[in-house]
Amino acid sequence: MTCDFVSEYNLLKRSTVGYRSEYVYDHVALIKLLMPALQSQKGYFHEKYEIQKHRAMSVIDYGQTAEDHQSLLVLVKHTGLTLSQQKFRKIWERIQKLSSVGIPGQKRNAWVRYKQNYPKENNDWGDYQAHRKALGLISVGECSTNEEFEELFESYRNVKEDYANTLFNSRLIVFGMNRNGTPLSEETEDDETKSDRVSPGRADSEDSGVTSDISPSENVTEPYKPALTETKSDPSSSSTKNSEGKITFMSKKPVKKQESSPLFQSSPISTPPGTPVFRRPHSNSFTKDSTGAEVIFFPSILDSQDLEEKLKEFVVSLFFVLEGKRLDRSFERHDRIQLLCAPFERKDYIGLDTDTKSFRKKCQGRLRKHLADLCLQAGIPGEAILHYETAIDILRPVNDTLWIGACYEGLASAAVVINYPKSVALSGLRRNVYSLSAKRGSSMLNEAKLRTGSLNNKTNGSYGTESVPENLSKVAPDPTDIIEKYREALINYSKFKGAAVIEIELSLKACRVLTMQGKHLQASSFLQNVIYINYNVSEEDKILRYCTLSELYSDIGFHRKAAFFKRIAAMQCVSSPQATQQNWGQCYNLLVQVLEGYNIHHSPKDKHIGSDTGWPVLQSRVLNELIFSARKMGKIPLAIRHTTFMIQSLHQFLSLSERKDICRTLEQLTAQSDGNCQSLALDNGMILPPVPFTSIPYVKSFKLIRLRPHLEPVKLKKLGESASNTGPFIFTPLNLGKQRDTEDEGMMDFCLVARDLCEVQLQVYNPLPDELKVNQMGLMVEGVEIEPYPCNPSIPAETGPYLVKLLWRPKTAGDLDITGYFTSVMGVKSHCKLKDLPQINLEKITVKVIPQLPQVQLTTSLPKADNFLSGNDSEYVVTSGTTTLFAGQRSIDLKDLLPRKPSNTEFLTQMFEWSMENIQSQLPLQPNSVMCFTLCINGVSDFMSHTANHETAEPQCVECLLRIEYSGGPGLQDSYCRQCAVNLSVDICPSVIIQAWDAIPAERPDHCYLVFDLLNASDTDLSVQHSTQSSTHILPGHTERIAVEIERCEFPSLPDNVHLRNHVRQGPIANHYSTYLNQFVDIRWQMPSLKTGGKVSIDHIEWSEEQLNQIQISPIVWEVKLNGAFFPLKESLDLSVMDCLDVVARVTINEGMLYFIINTLTYTCISLKFIHRSIAFYETVKDGQDLLINPSFLIHCEGKYTVDIKCIVISSAEENPEQTFHYHPVQLDVTP
């Protein structure tokens, strides 16, 4: 062996003291150490030994950011099997919060990033980029006995040896033991004994809760050995040049601690020189030397309040070691500069002549670039930028493309650190949320808004100012030039196949920076570059790669492309034919995250109004993949939920066969599991809301039907309450722009009654190609409990509208809110809310339910009418009755009802009559009881003919409503009642018609005769009888005269308001007199063949003034005699020619002048001779006197004569100075 080989071997031997033999004689380790020496000796052993093939960095860190270049990488390992994952997760969260530590005595912060897993291959790239070195190790474990601690420490040491090349310091955090390292069950010894056994150095360690590396052997005091702060030298010092100019890989000598160094004075891992090492009184299973690691004991997680302080001390120790290396690199001699290489470059420099100018340039440029990395990690980005630029100038002439690219990337990272500094407060808010994608990669996007003011605070406490220019903005590239630096680095990386991983990570970093700057299109170009880089990775890395692309595309707003890549990642999970259920679960979780990108929203709340519906073809494919994945997982409820959503949202875009297939699939799934309407929680914490079938069936209208009018409650008016509002009324013509509230649109203007059957009508459509069977359909309500009556409609295929009636009964009173309806279709239960139905445009329907009211059944003994005219209150009609009467006939009808206040007009009062005393005697009406009362119907008629010939009369039809209001029970207490009515239709046929009428004096001066000509207008014989006289038989169509003697009377004065009856056209005076006279005239008619009869009314006869004078009591008294006797009026007076007619007339008046005139009129049948003779008498009489005249007439000609006697009274009254009174004309028949 050569001297160099011997020195390397001795160094290896000294550094492995205390380790097991298998670690000392590891073949691979020997080859690594010895081969450079062998190659330097002209290749003597080159054919015997082969260099281990280079393993490229195969694990890509998809979460790397530009800020990671300034961070110290620390591994956090879960050590041992005793500590549960839940406890480790809590410790991990506490450690993660400590991402920034202020350096004591410095104006700089040490930024730390933690990793739970970090491949060794990536750690080998620490020479190329310093932030890839694992500088610290934190192992977390739990034990309760000394034996368990030995196993825990062994595991910790094995992990530490894996990363021994780069580790600066490490910690082992142990839970479950006392702070002094003793088991919790072990009793504490007396203080005096403890002080005798424990050295001062050990006591200090116990008080701090930190112990130096100790071996669990017997208590043996050994000479002090200085502890190494590094287990291996810096990788940059792994090679040097010998005197012949060849490359020689060699190891750095142990660094001796100096008492004057502030790092070693304040570090808890240091041990004063000469202090004996105290060994634990445990089994001697292994021996530990002083390697710089520390053990921290805590009894439990709850009793670890100072954990953060211990970790801060640990980070500070890492920083000072790093700072020392940076200073060493700054003052390194040029003749001892070593060549730094990327892992895949080592084979290219074997046997290369190093004694060249270009080689020395490479060494200088690469060293300057490495120094820039250390400055960036040490919190001096300004100085790092200067070193990066200097390295570029040095490496560009020698065409060192790979390292020039690294310099450009470092420049861009330093510029990002300066222009977009992270706040120390933000560093404590980070959480490591588990996801299949690289969530940490979007940290810059999440923190961008909180870092908007960072450009004005570049020289704050985040960075040191000792070697940084005063104005960092003059040193750092402009934010717009950052991307150009990334592009230059990308171009240089793309020339090397071994730098594919570096190129991918660079593209992701650039994309995140551009996202933070809002340059989304440029960010998408870098992501596109990641897609085109061909690099063989494992299946898990492919999934992680696609998920990262998806997250970044989502951050820049490319949601559909983000969904596309996440969907590819999902398919990658099950690309292998041997995919397990766990793979399908991973696939399903990724597909669920795809839904939003394809505009698929299970919840209607998440869907924006007016947004695009998406791409139906893609949506159907994604949903089919979700359904298939859920079935493969064995989670049928999830498959049912997605199938329901597919039918609900995409049925109109599916073909006929596809709709049939998806419906059949849903029926098969619901046969295996119940299709409930509850939210489903996924394994990743996402909540899958229920999907109601709002379009299957499609509800076109939703209408609450008000109660039938006779059942609808009516508010009772209080005594003295007016129908109109008596309060103040303020009117303004201004339009204040008040719009009707949406809630008011759903407020019904009617009320329902508790325990009454209510109805909601729906018009539904079936868009499916098969008959739709709804197993159960009912209402969803709030506020009032109801008793539903669900229906099971069966809607034909592709038809509508189809009427569906939902019946129910409210159980109590209150405000009822109808919020929707529920269905059970194809085994899926749905709760469809009105607010989710855009065609209804209502959130809910609100109606007031009043307390229970009674119901009555109204019947009549009359036959029901086939039809009747509709009036204002016809909606209250519950039954009807019809009958036919002759004018003047009277009929009796029995009613079963409960009237409260019958409707009443003058005409209807004459036509209908009932006894209120009879009704009141049967009230109140008990439940299930009957009340009967008699209603009399009169055939009221005017007995007049309104035709031209006055010989016929048309039948009349009279309709009326008898309305009843009733109430009782709780409804009456709230002042509510119900109304119902019976429609009565009466056909009045003509019986007798009064064709003519007159009034003549009677034999007695105080009486008169009312003479009527009666026509039989019926189709059958009838007889007429008045008073006590014998009846008069009248044939159909014939007329008979009758005279009714009545006593003259004084008519009452006219009323102020005279109501017209029916439609008879008459004057108010005549109507008044006829009504008064009707009570003195009793004319009855009988129809023997029909066994019916009635009374003739003269209520509507119009009397002339002369006739009224005959009826009224006259102001003068007549006494007229012809030939000495009072001539009867029924017959004419018979005389012969040349007979003398002696007329004696006596008139008694009050006061005035009488003007007496007697006219004699002669009509001869043969000669048509007309003779007129008038005799006048004038006399003034006083009050109570009479006037007697006695003219005589000698008749010479035969014929018919009329003697007309009248008296004119002339008085001094101004109102009526002249009045004329006639005596009834007397007929004379003169024969030869």
Side-chain angles (χ1 to χ4, degrees), residues 553-607:
Y553 271 120
S554 179
D555 291 342
I556 62 177
F558 289 25
H559 299 294
R560 190 168 73 100
K561 186 167 285 190
F564 170 76
F565 281 104
K566 191 156 289 187
R567 184 181 170 200
I568 293 179
M571 296 298 102
Q572 194 71 35
C573 295
V574 292
S575 59
S576 174
Q578 292 81 21
T580 62
Q581 188 174 2
Q582 183 179 1
N583 299 127
W584 283 108
Q586 188 180 8
C587 172
Y588 177 83
N589 292 332
L590 291 175
L591 286 176
V592 168
Q593 303 174 27
V594 168
L595 298 178
E596 186 176 358
Y598 287 106
N599 206 2
I600 300 175
H601 303 279
H602 281 71
S603 177
K605 299 179 181 178
D606 299 335
K607 190 173 183 180

Side-chain angles (χ1 to χ4, degrees), residues 67-84:
E67 296 95 330
D68 290 343
H69 284 254
Q70 68 171 345
S71 302
L72 309 180
L73 181 58
V74 176
L75 297 183
V76 180
K77 286 291 186 178
H78 184 187
T79 307
L81 303 177
T82 307
L83 185 66
S84 64

